[in-house]
Amino acid sequence: MSRLPPASRDRLADEITFHPANAEARLLREALGRYATGVTVVTTAGSLGPVGMTVNSFASVSLEPPLVMWCPARASTRHDVFVNAAHWSVHVLGSEQLETCLRFTKGGRQFEGLAPVATPEGVPVMPGAAARFDCAGHAAHEAGDHSVLIGRVLRVTVAGPGDHPLVFAAGRFGQFQPEG
């Protein structure tokens, strides 16, 4: 497959039409990679113990009532655990937490060697996240090869003011340092 020449890549979203089964789907992924996202780990209590997943599809949905969303891949072996969970927690990672991020990716060590504490709802949580949103499942919707999970925020824990988020963009992890 030929790639678009660099001069035309700045207008990539306007330049391609694709079907996900074609090799050009990689170009969509590249275009989406131009949008930087924060990095989170979502946790819940599974039937076999604590379960976590690194996620960058986290977003606010509503302030009243307080709702947030995230989107696990339906092909993930952890998908059904989260879709069926009554409660889950979203941990927003700080720039120094790349190891935590990688531990909850596919094939990562998950909770191995960690001693998570539990929320009143029994969700395993890790201290030290830049922010944490403890949620009750509100809705789940199938959306192509992912599901959209919406949670009602029960409580929020925020770290100190010096925290900077871990960011994912263009297939790489990094950090955002505000000016001034």
Side-chain angles (χ1 to χ4, degrees):
M1 182 194 118
S2 65
R3 298 175 61 90
L4 291 175
S8 64
R9 293 168 62 110
D10 62 337
R11 302 200 44 89
L12 188 60
D14 296 333
E15 296 291 333
I16 64 171
T17 302
F18 71 94
H19 185 277
N22 296 338
E24 290 152 345
R26 184 177 52 213
L27 294 175
L28 174 65
R29 188 178 187 108
E30 277 185 26
L32 291 169
R34 292 175 179 215
Y35 182 73
T37 65
V39 180
T40 67
V41 169
V42 183
T43 58
T44 194
S47 61
L48 300 176
V51 179
M53 178 184 284
T54 297
V55 173
N56 72 339
S57 60
F58 173 69
S60 170
V61 173
S62 170
L63 294 177
E64 189 54 45
L67 300 174
V68 296
M69 59 150 278
W70 66 286
C71 304
R74 292 177 56 182
S76 170
T77 58
R78 296 167 276 181
H79 174 270
D80 291 350
V81 173
F82 284 103
V83 168
N84 296 315
H87 297 90
W88 34 265
S89 292
V90 179
H91 303 73
V92 177
L93 300 185
S95 60
E96 75 289 353
Q97 294 181 300
L98 181 59
E99 189 276 328
T100 301
C101 162
L102 297 176
R103 140 184 309 270
F104 290 96
T105 60
K106 183 178 181 178
R109 298 178 317 164
Q110 294 275 312
F111 285 93
E112 180 185 312
L114 296 180
V117 296
T119 66
E121 299 76 28
V123 175
V125 295
M126 301 169 295
R132 189 182 78 231
F133 300 86
D134 299 330
C135 301
H138 180 77
H141 306 283
E142 287 187 10
D145 60 0
H146 283 65
S147 290
V148 177
L149 302 186
I150 299 173
R152 183 174 43 84
V153 179
L154 303 175
R155 76 187 67 76
V156 179
T157 302
V158 179
D163 288 346
H164 299 289
L166 181 62
V167 177
F168 185 74
R172 294 186 309 256
F173 293 99
Q175 61 185 342
F176 171 74
Q177 298 275 342
E179 290 186 27

